Amino acid sequence: MRFWYSSRPLASFYVLFFISAVGSQVQAQFCPENLQVYPSYGQQEMVLEWILPPTGTSAAQFEIYRGGLLIATVNSSTNSYVDDVSSLAAGRHHTLDYSLLPETSTPPCPELFSRAIYSTGTLILFEGFETYSSDVELESIGGWAIVDENSPVEDSTWTLTNPLGRPNPPKVDGYETYGNFIISDSDFGGGAGGGTSNPIGSGMSHDIWTPTFDCSATGQVVLHASVLAQLNDNGNAVFDIDVTVDNGTNWETVYRRVAPTRTTVEPVATIENADGVYQWLEVDLTPYAAGESTVRVRFRHFEPNWDWWIAIDDVLIDDVLTFGGGETILLEMEDFSNGIPADWQIVGLNTGSPLDTWNTQDPCARSVTANNGGNLPYQGGRAVNRLDDFFAIIDSDCDPDPAEDERLITPIIDCSAEERVYLHIDAEAMPYGSETIEILLSLDGGTSWVLPPIFRAPTTTAPAANNDPLFIETVFNEPRAAGESEVAFIIKYTSPGNQWWLAVDNISVTAGEYVAPPPPPTGTTFRRGDCNSDGSFNIADCIYLLAALFSGGPGGECEDSCDMNDDGSTNIADAIAGLGTLFAGSGPLPAPSGTNCGLDPSDDSLTCNPTTACP
């Protein structure tokens, strides 16, 4: 087995970077480039493709590795290889690391890396968008439906054509996906002055529906996709994922992200739904789709108002839920509420200046919850909106603005007895354009790391710089850590200085089989705060509750709606919570709140009867 290690003295960073950059320009003339890997599910294969140099290469052969093991040697005139993965264990997502190494070339060529996911679960749908030459074929052959709701003004219809040449959305490792993808581009379709932009509150949206798929024999249904949702820090766009089981008559919203400055018209941004997306996304559809025979998913770009874009690729629907991680806890979740623990390491150029490296002091007051009561927008939509009061941050925009090569390193973790290891992490980043964000694996306690990175961004998939925060909530399956005794994970931020910031939180490591998902909420749908069941939340609901508590008024049809602070009981504290939300800026009520009805995520003894507001 081979691992590619990287370790360098920080003092020589810029010299090595210059040599590497110059060398890559020369090597590009005779070395292969751009190794891409993607699944061929009908054939139980992974397809590898790369670009050959126009002048040829001096290497006689290329060596191909998977998981550090040599699996093939091919002629250097070849630009593709097919790997048989039929022997992979069933019922899982397999993280597969491939590399291509030109054998004994002169001068030497760099090893190329690519990381991919292959699902051996029950395959319900997979779409990589490679077989269509036009949007017409996407609909007529692929069974997708491009739908513009309420006659939108913008020309932001979903398309394969990528009118402004956006980069592909990110794979699981942050690098861009392969080939075609679908995009709704408001920056292309909208215009200045609002005359050609969708009015807020109009209900205008740009939607794309998957083909119908059958889940009648499937007990667990999970959506995975590569997503870059660039919503705009001062915009109004909403990214929704909805599911229907009756061909679009009724839809349930299962995932939502909202531009952080959309605060006046529903759906509004909150600390639970704000920010864009930059990740391999996983959404559990089980409560809505399991056992149903006619299921469709809708990706919705709702009311973009000359904002940015949403790009989606590699849509996979199967029965494998991975984001719970494993059942064995190797590293307890760290939320940084007591600072960076003593058994974590901070290594970098600026460790002598604690606020210029990783810290929990939040020196430029990015946290919207700690500094603005959870009320959005804050700092012009460029705040840390999703990580509560405490997190670890590297803030490149706080004066002074030195160059950074800063590493936050977990404690050493013994994974020698484990077959499967998972890194859990929440991260929020405000990209600027010249920084590199990496999550790396170390097998020697943090001294060096192995390539490829677990995750790297911005790369060629770099989102629009200087625009809006991107929130990542994910679990990485890291097969290279299994069986190793000195594992550490490194969060690395490198920049010339004067960029924006990266914040991380809720980091843990688990191992073993996937954790069974919790049972979905059951009961009656309701809208929290709507105590009088009139379909909205306002001061009349607080008066209604106070009358029920102190004046003999009716108790209402749904106790959960009146439990405004979600503490499992109804009392004066609920009226205070409701009034605080309405008039004191204390933030939204706990879910389900706003305009949507939903089930109670909390286990309590309160009762709720169906109402006309939430039948």
Side-chain angles (χ1 to χ4, degrees), residues 9 57 168 173 267 298 579 601:
T57 176
N168 285 51
D173 59 358
R298 173 176 72 181
L579 292 169

Side-chain angles (χ1 to χ4, degrees), residues 60-127:
Q61 300 181 106
F62 295 150
E63 295 177 340
I64 298 173
Y65 294 83
R66 189 226 291 170
L69 299 175
L70 180 66
I71 59 172
T73 302
V74 299
N75 190 282
S76 63
S77 62
T78 300
N79 69 341
S80 65
Y81 176 76
V82 175
D83 182 26
D84 182 354
V85 294
S86 59
S87 62
L88 294 176
R92 306 199 60 80
H93 278 190
H94 295 269
T95 300
L96 303 176
D97 287 308
Y98 288 93
S99 65
L100 177 76
L101 179 63
E103 188 181 50
T104 62
S105 60
T106 305
C109 288
E111 189 165 5
L112 303 179
F113 299 94
S114 185
R115 171 168 277 205
I117 295 289
Y118 189 86
S119 171
T120 56
T122 300
L123 183 67
I124 301 171
L125 181 147
F126 177 76
E127 185 58 80

Side-chain angles (χ1 to χ4, degrees), residues 545-570:
L545 174 59
L546 291 170
L549 292 171
F550 302 110
S551 303
E557 300 171 292
C558 181
E559 292 178 331
D560 280 313
S561 293
C562 300
D563 182 16
M564 298 185 193
N565 61 7
D566 194 21
D567 67 353
S569 62
T570 54

